Amino acid sequence: MKNISRYMTLTVLGGLLAFTSCETTELDLTANPNFLTPDQAGVDFFLNSIQEDFVRQFEGDADFDLNDNWQSGGNTTGDGFNELGMEMTRIVNMNGRNYNTVYQDSDMNDEWINAYRGVLADIRAMTPLAQEAGLTRHIGIAQFIEAYLMISMVDFFGDVPYSEIVQGEQQNFNPAVDSGASIYDACLVLIDQAIANFNSTATANPAVDFYYGNDYAKWERAANTLKLKIYVQRRLVDSGAAASFNAIITGGNYIQDTADDFVWRWPATSATQPDTRHPRYGINYQAAGAGEYMSNWLMSLMDESADPRTRYYFYRQTNAVPGAEIAPNEELLNCSLETPPQHYINAGFGGDFCWLPNGFWGRAHGEADGIPPDGLLRATYGTYPVGGRFDDDSFLAISPSAGGGGTGITNLLTAFGVDFMRAEMALAAGNTGDARTFMLAGYAKSVAKVQAFLTGREAGADLSFVPSEGDVNAYATQVGIAFDDADADGKWDVLGEQYFIAHFGNGVEPYNFYRRTGFPTTLQPNLEPDPGTFIRSMYYPANAVNNNSNISQKADQTQPVFWDTNPTAPAAN
């Protein structure tokens, strides 16, 4: 049904994307007897597609091809915003030595397609049908999703088309880009409209509300939390952001409890098309083993500090890594025979530039060696958030059905995330006491959510390895002391590290935080001594530039988005 609805509305945004020839885009595909017309499709079918495609923008499914088919498998392209953000912030391994060669203009085609030809096309096709039928809550959900989607497009690309994208039967084959600031303003208006529709009397509720099960009090709290996110993101350029943020906090109608988190739950009912497992589970829990590498920086940070979330985040398939517990191995871990580069030694990362002890088999930031037969040896995602295995020191090889089978979640707006927003706003205002309080509150909610996530997903795990309440409290004490003892920049480092750890699985928030603040400065350098400049915004997709005369490619990827006026740019390495 998702693919049918896309073809029905292809002409609606065909000019914006122009991924096919002019002759093709001029065809009236809605008249094709092989496809349903919008009135035949029904509002609920459109909304189902909108809800799913929205989460795919962030999570992807490894490879979204130009025929609109989500497939398991592959490479950076189509991984979604979360994976891109996690790679750049060392939450997972970035496979490439130079930023500009890792992220090219062709890599972003899939995200652009999904946003415009998928989500927005379906919203434009659904809305008049919903208006005619009095389905105001369908419209409210679509408005919320559109606002969230468009601010995320701005966060990754900067100025993008929005006001000139087509409405109804009109077509514009060359829509101009709008400023990111104007899109943010428009999205705030759209969120208010969504809240009004959530509080309206609709003729019927959606048949399927994947996020909140038609609880519109929760939808309203999510909408206000999305506003909080907007105000935090533009705090450097909006003198009224702090007051607007605090007004929502004072009102109290935002996500404060984990039960109200705005998340997508992957049911894992199928491993074939459609694959309903968490995408990162599908990529890594294969017969040949894990398809991605975890970040040495993050695993080292969490393991060495005895973070109680470590066994939930990472699953180790072995307890022996070449260069650590066992002899170096050229075939399995080539760098175990190499000397750390000087810039790693200078930065204090000489010991873990290649290997980590205790089975944490990952890769350094920017390591781009070939892929050896280590899929059933390397560390991979654990129980949280992808629904994998809990690490109970069993060191068993993973399989396509191991652990929770992919019954994971995608965190979008969370109660712990709000606490970290509040910590950032407090620290930016010089209120270190409140910043400390909110940071530790966010940590507590993060740990509680992670530990509760294990229930029902790992019946055979040895639960004696579950961290105790004492472990959880000891870590909080340790973080609090580190914060208290640090100077001004050091406090931002502590907050930044905790921010990154808590948001594991969501790369958008850490990437935004890193650009806003330039912290933490404790990130592992790129393995390449001169990796080029850090990416402040992505190139426009090649196809969009080639087919839209109003889109000109950026000179480079150092151009910041409108809210990123941080005078201390993130480190080039």
Side-chain angles (χ1 to χ4, degrees):
M1 198 67 230
K2 177 178 69 175
N3 290 339
I4 290 173
S5 68
R6 281 220 183 87
Y7 280 107
M8 290 188 300
T9 56
L10 180 59
T11 55
V12 176
L13 293 177
L16 172 64
L17 298 160
F19 284 108
T20 53
S21 68
C22 292
E23 290 77 14
T24 302
T25 58
E26 289 173 357
L27 292 176
D28 183 11
L29 295 182
T30 58
N32 190 324
N34 293 321
F35 300 113
L36 296 177
T37 57
D39 61 306
Q40 292 172 319
V43 175
D44 280 312
F45 287 121
F46 274 118
L47 190 60
N48 289 350
S49 179
I50 291 164
Q51 293 179 83
E52 180 184 354
D53 285 353
F54 170 67
V55 75
R56 297 288 188 183
Q57 187 75 10
F58 297 90
E59 206 64 78
D61 201 13
D63 197 2
F64 176 65
D65 67 26
L66 298 184
N67 293 318
D68 301 336
N69 296 314
W70 292 93
Q71 301 174 349
S72 294
N75 50 44
T76 300
T77 303
D79 277 351
F81 287 161
N82 279 341
E83 183 74 6
L84 295 171
M86 286 195 293
E87 288 173 357
M88 285 184 282
T89 53
R90 285 70 159 173
I91 293 175
V92 297
N93 166 254
M94 184 185 79
N95 182 29
R97 303 291 283 267
N98 185 286
Y99 287 110
N100 288 328
T101 58
V102 174
Y103 305 105
Q104 302 181 43
D105 53 3
S106 59
D107 291 330
M108 302 308 297
N109 285 334
D110 296 338
E111 287 76 17
W112 194 271
I113 291 172
N114 187 57
Y116 288 112
R117 196 169 81 187
V119 180
L120 288 178
D122 282 350
I123 289 174
R124 296 296 180 266
M126 183 204 78
T127 299
L129 303 178
Q131 289 172 334
E132 182 179 359
L135 300 174
T136 51
R137 286 174 169 168
H138 291 69
I139 296 172
I141 292 174
Q143 289 169 325
F144 173 92
I145 286 175
E146 180 174 331
Y148 203 142
L149 173 68
M150 288 311 303
I151 66 169
S152 301
M153 291 291 284
V154 170
D155 293 343
F156 275 78
F157 294 107
D159 300 343
V160 293
Y162 186 55
S163 65
E164 291 187 7
I165 62 175
V166 294
Q167 306 286 337
E169 297 299 321
Q170 300 176 4
Q171 296 187 47
N172 181 351
F173 288 87
N174 290 285
V177 298
D178 295 280
S179 71
S182 69
I183 293 173
Y184 261 57
D185 287 339
C187 288
L188 282 170
V189 173
L190 201 58
I191 294 169
D192 283 337
Q193 294 171 351
I195 291 173
N197 280 318
F198 294 150
N199 288 299
S200 67
T201 301
T203 55
N205 285 331
V208 179
D209 171 3
F210 289 109
Y211 293 95
Y212 285 129
N214 289 316
D215 186 330
Y216 291 95
K218 291 187 176 183
W219 271 110
E220 184 173 357
R221 286 193 281 275
N224 284 320
T225 305
L226 184 55
K227 285 185 177 183
L228 292 176
K229 172 182 164 76
I230 288 175
Y231 293 131
V232 171
Q233 285 176 190
R234 69 181 197 183
R235 67 175 176 81
L236 297 177
V237 297
D238 179 3
S239 60
S244 298
F245 182 93
N246 291 332
I248 294 174
I249 294 297
T250 300
N253 194 18
Y254 59 92
I255 296 173
Q256 301 183 57
D257 190 287
T258 299
D260 293 340
D261 284 358
F262 181 61
V263 302
W264 176 273
R265 296 168 179 83
W266 299 91
T269 54
S270 173
T272 57
Q273 292 294 341
D275 189 340
T276 61
R277 302 172 299 172
H278 192 291
R280 303 262 77 77
Y281 180 95
I283 292 169
N284 289 285
Y285 281 73
Q286 301 182 20
E292 297 176 295
Y293 286 99
M294 296 291 98
S295 163
N296 278 359
W297 173 77
L298 186 63
M299 291 193 296
S300 176
L301 175 67
M302 295 181 68
D303 179 47
E304 291 180 2
S305 61
D307 191 308
R309 293 162 290 193
T310 305
R311 291 182 179 273
Y312 300 87
Y313 283 15
F314 308 111
Y315 179 76
R316 296 168 297 160
Q317 299 183 83
T318 180
N319 62 353
V321 180
E325 293 83 4
I326 58 177
N329 186 304
E330 182 177 11
E331 178 187 15
L332 294 176
L333 196 60
N334 179 61
C335 64
S336 64
L337 296 168
E338 298 175 354
T339 302
Q342 188 60 46
H343 70 291
Y344 258 49
I345 296 175
N346 294 344
F349 289 94
D352 57 5
F353 95 101
C354 173
W355 49 263
L356 297 176
N358 304 320
F360 289 101
W361 188 317
R363 280 196 169 184
H365 182 62
E367 184 177 341
D369 287 346
I371 306 300
D374 63 350
L376 294 172
L377 294 169
R378 67 181 78 158
T380 189
Y381 286 93
T383 302
Y384 180 93
V386 310
R389 285 187 62 97
F390 174 74
D391 192 331
D392 60 357
D393 280 1
S394 58
F395 303 112
L396 299 173
I398 57 175
S399 69
S401 60
T407 53
I409 59 172
T410 294
N411 284 314
L412 294 163
L413 298 171
T414 61
F416 71 76
V418 171
D419 285 332
F420 279 105
M421 291 185 205
R422 298 185 72 181
E424 178 182 346
M425 295 296 274
L427 194 54
N431 190 338
T432 58
D434 281 352
R436 183 188 194 276
T437 297
F438 295 136
M439 175 185 67
L440 293 179
Y443 159 74
K445 289 177 183 174
S446 167
V447 172
K449 180 168 185 169
V450 168
Q451 291 192 316
F453 193 78
L454 183 63
T455 304
R457 286 181 171 84
E458 191 75 52
D462 183 349
L463 298 185
S464 66
F465 287 90
V466 169
S468 67
E469 182 179 355
D471 297 328
V472 173
N473 294 337
Y475 183 81
T477 299
Q478 173 184 323
V479 171
I481 292 172
F483 186 86
D484 292 338
D485 291 346
D487 60 13
D489 284 354
K491 284 178 168 49
W492 277 106
D493 279 335
V494 174
L495 174 60
E497 288 178 353
Q498 291 305 309
Y499 193 106
F500 281 27
I501 294 170
H503 283 91
F504 180 69
N506 179 328
V508 175
E509 305 310 332
Y511 182 44
N512 288 346
F513 181 91
Y514 191 45
R515 287 179 292 170
R516 283 195 307 269
T517 68
F519 292 97
T521 61
T522 56
L523 295 180
Q524 186 182 57
N526 195 305
L527 199 57
E528 173 63 43
D530 184 16
T533 53
F534 184 82
I535 294 175
R536 304 293 281 266
S537 67
M538 292 290 182
Y539 279 130
Y540 292 119
N543 287 337
V545 173
N546 293 337
N547 292 285
N548 185 338
S549 61
N550 282 321
I551 298 181
S552 298
Q553 189 56 275
K554 303 169 185 176
D556 53 46
Q557 298 180 87
T558 65
Q559 299 181 32
V561 298
F562 82 97
W563 48 257
D564 178 9
T565 60
N566 173 21
T568 306
N573 58 2

